Amino acid sequence: MNQQIPDSNARTAEEFLKGIWRENPVFVAVLGMCPVLAVTNTAINSLAMGLATMFVLVFSSLLVSSLRKVIPKQVRITTFIIIIATFVTVVDFLLAALTPQVHKELGAFIALIVVNCLILGRQEAFASKNSVKLALADALGMSVGFAFALLCIGVVREILGNGSLFNIALFGEGFEPWIVMILPPGGFFTLGFLLLFFNWLQQRRKLV
Amino acid sequence: MDTSTSTSLPPQSDPSSFRLILTLGIAGFFSGLLLVGVYLSTLPAIQKHRAESLRKAIFQVLPGCTEYKIMELREGQLLEAQITEQGSSEGEVLPRVYAGYNAAGEFIGFAIQGEEPGFQDNIGAIFGYEPGEKVIIGFEVLESKETPGLGDKIMKDENWLANFKALKVEPGLEVVKEGQGQKPNQVESITGATISSKAIVRLLEKELAEWRPVLEEYNRRPKVEGRK
Amino acid sequence: MGDLLFIFVSALLINNFTLSYFLGLCPFLGVSGRLVTAFRLGLANIFVMLITAVCAWTLNTYILPFAPYLRLISFIIVIASTVQFVEMAIKKLSPELFRALGIFLPLITTNCAILGLALFSTNKGYGFVEGLIYALGAGGGVTLALVLLAGIREETRILDIPKVIEGTALNLIIAGILSMAFMGFAGLFSGG
């Protein structure tokens, strides 16, 4: 790709910011649905998954971007997958060693970060074509946006489904939790309505 | 890193197959190196956590327990396991129970692990069994995906857990409604979680049917020898 | 026998991969617009899952005890390349079958349902036959979910739907309702 726009700080900031809002991987691009719905039944799990994904995405992007001139085009996808799978395995071991409770809660979904389309997508679409600095900005922005979206869903589901936030009870004894929200259907509903809300925001902006 | 002056790539003719294989090989090599490093450096902590959570569960279901031994069923004989590390992959995995002892070194009972289909998925649990009195002395759920708020009461409901503080296994376990248990062999099920409650009792029955003959046989033996 | 039936029905209905584990959602939301396409995609899924079950079992039994840290990488690479080989074989042997399933194969290979199957079935310690049955159930479950959603979406095409909810948002809400319906299958095996 031609780099007509210089590597200025403004461009770096732009690459960082786009992932958080304008091209948010969950709310706008609808990528990586599996972890988005599977582990967001509490805010803590959402946060842990967001951070684990961030670790993998940032390090993979750094490596792919700095090796972008060395990796032959024909085997690039395979190489990306090897790099991503390596970092995911590292995260898996680190979580198991440092926070066994979180590791147990997230279970096999940590390993499934490998097939999160967001990560491979960023390598193919961005990191393999841009400088390390831009790739880092892009990866950070995308993963912050991803983590933010996960946290939004997790917060909604935990408040409604369990009457608490980060395990701290919010309501009195009288609150009857909507248990369905922490069950699988709640994941679909929460994301469905959040997308609806985003669509509505965009439409309004167009009208104004 | 951000000097983008010399980004013009050399015209890429098709790289040789050798170069492709070499790239993958190098990637694989470094990835393997990194993984082995991380694996070896995190392994002790992971094993420690595993052993600790097992130890906690065993102490929970065998009140007063401070020390345990892993016992394996080898050719119909209950023997102390040779490998003490949990998760060792050498040889076949034999059925095992855990024999608990108190601070004075006296035998308390066996902790037995089991699995049984519940409402959603398999429920994993561990319970303490005292073969002399033929009584269950403790119970804990290790893994369950039962419905939050209903089925998951099998993990924390106090009335329910009180069932297993002294549950006679003879003449056989019996499930009754909440508040109606009178005999020591009756289990009061949880209202709203009858299926999960019954699954637990089935789990206990299944494991007891398998282990009772062995454990009671084992329990009898040292006493007989002691009298001689 | 009872155990195998439990494994099958559990993967097919109670713990449906798509509706309760959220695996394989990308094709679920992307491709499920037409009933015929959805059904074929489902069949291709079952097919790849069966291959996966064999690969996962072989790796887990013969290689991974010696190198547990290679689990993830070896699963992905071995599954992807086996599927590639099978794809080539089908192309040669039965062009008809290839036309029906072939275009979906590359799409499925890096699907989370496939890797999920490999991880779950080895986590649960399934043997060879159990693994195959599990794959059959899981694949069937994914097919069922795809076909149901596609059927509903074909119906919604003639409805007057507000523009703001069209697309993924609507699909997710339909999926949520399906997922709730599938919750009714829980307890199927422990009614006692």
Side-chain angles (χ1 to χ4, degrees):
Chain A
M1 179 180 269
N2 297 330
Q3 293 194 342
Q4 286 148 340
I5 314 165
D7 257 13
S8 65
N9 285 334
R11 167 118 198 260
T12 313
E14 163 63 14
E15 297 296 353
F16 175 71
L17 288 175
K18 71 166 195 272
I20 298 177
W21 190 256
R22 196 163 40 81
E23 289 178 28
N24 186 291
V26 176
F27 293 138
V28 180
V30 201
L31 286 175
M33 283 301 99
C34 160
V36 168
L37 296 170
V39 300
T40 50
N41 49 2
T42 67
I44 290 184
N45 288 354
S46 311
L47 197 62
M49 179 50 101
L51 292 178
T53 310
M54 181 181 293
F55 177 91
V56 175
L57 181 53
V58 167
F59 279 95
S60 309
S61 280
L62 274 181
L63 203 60
V64 165
S65 159
S66 44
L67 294 176
R68 69 186 186 281
K69 286 167 200 159
V70 189
I71 302 172
K73 217 174 81 201
Q74 290 81 348
V75 291
R76 68 184 191 286
I77 300 282
T78 321
T79 319
F80 297 164
I81 291 180
I82 293 180
I83 291 174
I84 296 170
T86 308
F87 284 119
V88 172
T89 314
V90 169
V91 168
D92 197 12
F93 284 140
L94 285 181
L95 278 179
L98 300 176
T99 56
Q101 192 56 41
V102 172
H103 185 261
K104 202 180 152 196
E105 294 264 324
L106 297 184
F109 288 100
I110 300 172
L112 285 172
I113 295 177
V114 177
V115 281
N116 188 334
C117 356
L118 168 66
I119 296 179
L120 190 61
R122 287 335 283 169
Q123 308 314 320
E124 171 73 2
F126 200 94
S128 59
K129 295 170 185 163
N130 287 287
S131 71
V132 175
K133 188 174 158 193
L134 288 182
L136 180 64
D138 174 76
L140 276 175
M142 282 292 163
S143 48
V144 169
F146 187 73
F148 165 72
L150 282 184
L151 198 60
C152 282
I153 301 171
V155 165
V156 171
R157 288 180 74 184
E158 190 179 345
I159 291 180
L160 293 179
N162 203 26
S164 63
L165 187 57
F166 290 105
N167 284 336
I168 302 162
L170 292 179
F171 308 111
E173 280 289 303
F175 179 73
E176 187 65 43
W178 309 4
I179 287 163
V180 71
M181 293 309 281
I182 45 177
L183 297 177
F188 286 114
F189 289 138
T190 312
L191 184 61
F193 282 107
L194 281 173
L195 285 177
L196 185 64
F197 177 66
F198 263 71
N199 286 349
W200 178 74
L201 272 187
Q202 271 178 344
Q203 283 204 347
R204 255 175 66 110
R205 202 172 300 155
K206 268 180 215 153
L207 287 178
V208 170
Chain B
M1 290 255 182
D2 49 358
T3 48
S4 54
T5 41
S6 62
T7 41
S8 58
L9 293 167
Q12 269 197 350
S13 55
D14 271 358
S16 62
S17 322
F18 175 72
R19 175 138 182 257
L20 299 185
I21 292 170
L22 187 73
T23 312
L24 287 182
I26 291 174
F29 175 74
F30 279 107
S31 127
L33 215 60
L34 180 64
L35 286 184
V36 173
V38 175
Y39 175 71
L40 290 180
S41 53
T42 52
L43 191 63
I46 294 173
Q47 274 178 344
K48 212 179 103 207
H49 289 311
R50 245 186 239 158
E52 236 162 53
S53 62
L54 178 70
R55 168 181 290 262
K56 236 175 75 191
I58 292 172
F59 291 0
Q60 180 75 33
V61 298
L62 296 173
C65 176
T66 55
E67 203 58 57
Y68 71 89
K69 281 185 200 156
I70 302 172
M71 309 294 285
E72 279 181 340
L73 192 59
R74 207 175 301 136
E75 288 150 15
Q77 289 270 23
L78 195 63
L79 299 166
E80 199 173 324
Q82 268 136 18
I83 21 165
T84 46
E85 278 301 311
Q86 180 77 358
S88 167
S89 56
E90 284 160 83
E92 54 182 326
V93 182
L94 298 162
R96 49 170 62 164
V97 291
Y98 308 95
Y101 300 87
N102 66 14
E106 290 160 355
F107 174 71
I108 303 174
F110 291 104
I112 308 171
Q113 248 176 306
E115 248 190 23
E116 179 73 20
F119 195 60
Q120 274 286 336
D121 208 341
N122 278 345
I123 303 175
I126 187 167
F127 64 97
Y129 178 63
E130 205 283 289
E133 297 284 321
K134 301 187 173 47
V135 64
I136 290 174
I137 50 179
F139 166 81
E140 194 177 44
V141 174
L142 297 176
E143 234 182 309
S144 107
K145 290 205 189 82
E146 299 303 285
T147 324
L150 295 170
D152 74 342
K153 284 187 186 159
I154 54 167
M155 305 184 82
K156 46 198 175 200
D157 190 89
E158 279 178 24
N159 280 335
W160 160 255
L161 292 178
N163 277 321
F164 306 103
K165 287 199 172 122
L167 179 64
K168 286 267 186 200
V169 302
E170 276 179 347
L173 302 178
E174 214 178 293
V175 187
V176 296
K177 282 197 179 134
E178 196 160 355
Q180 293 183 354
Q182 281 150 5
K183 297 187 205 138
N185 68 327
Q186 286 177 332
V187 179
E188 289 183 13
S189 65
I190 306 171
T191 314
T194 325
I195 289 176
S196 305
S197 310
K198 281 184 180 160
I200 296 293
V201 172
R202 270 204 313 276
L203 181 152
L204 296 177
E205 279 167 346
K206 196 178 81 184
E207 293 303 320
L208 284 172
E210 190 185 328
W211 283 103
R212 266 186 67 187
V214 188
L215 298 184
E216 279 158 24
E217 169 70 32
Y218 182 82
N219 193 45
R220 235 169 279 134
R221 203 174 40 188
K223 281 181 199 152
V224 174
E225 281 166 3
R227 251 177 247 151
K228 271 180 190 171
Chain C
M1 199 48 219
D3 279 350
L4 289 183
L5 191 67
F6 172 70
I7 291 174
F8 179 74
V9 178
S10 168
L12 183 71
L13 300 173
I14 305 174
N15 294 303
N16 186 285
F17 263 43
T18 308
L19 295 174
S20 101
Y21 290 154
F22 309 102
L23 296 170
L25 273 182
C26 300
F28 180 70
L29 297 171
V31 190
S32 56
R34 284 186 55 218
L35 202 58
V36 188
T37 327
F39 185 64
R40 284 198 184 153
L41 178 67
L43 288 188
N45 234 315
I46 298 182
F47 179 72
V48 178
M49 278 187 169
L50 287 174
I51 299 177
T52 305
V54 176
C55 295
W57 180 83
T58 316
L59 283 173
N60 200 46
T61 315
Y62 295 108
I63 298 178
L64 295 184
F66 306 103
Y69 40 84
L70 287 183
R71 198 166 101 125
L72 209 45
I73 294 191
S74 63
F75 275 175
I76 293 182
I77 291 181
V78 171
I79 292 167
S81 32
T82 315
V83 171
Q84 199 102 56
F85 279 125
V86 174
E87 192 187 339
M88 286 192 253
I90 294 181
K91 208 172 182 176
K92 272 258 153 64
L93 299 174
S94 161
E96 227 161 81
L97 186 66
F98 182 77
R99 237 172 292 135
L101 302 181
I103 47 163
F104 298 115
L105 290 180
L107 197 90
I108 294 171
T109 316
T110 47
N111 180 321
C112 35
I114 303 300
L115 184 65
L117 179 88
L119 291 172
F120 287 143
S121 74
T122 49
N123 275 356
K124 289 178 196 234
Y126 284 159
F128 186 70
V129 180
E130 287 165 319
L132 280 181
I133 297 288
Y134 187 60
L136 213 56
V142 172
T143 312
L144 192 62
L146 277 168
V147 166
L148 281 174
L149 186 73
I152 296 175
R153 275 174 69 178
E154 282 197 344
E155 297 295 316
T156 59
R157 220 171 289 151
I158 51 169
L159 298 178
D160 185 19
I161 294 166
K163 193 136 185 50
V164 67
I165 196 178
E166 256 180 3
T168 319
L170 179 66
N171 291 340
L172 281 169
I173 292 168
I174 295 175
I177 296 169
L178 276 180
S179 165
M180 254 162 92
F182 269 64
M183 274 171 65
F185 289 117
L188 210 57
F189 266 82
S190 36

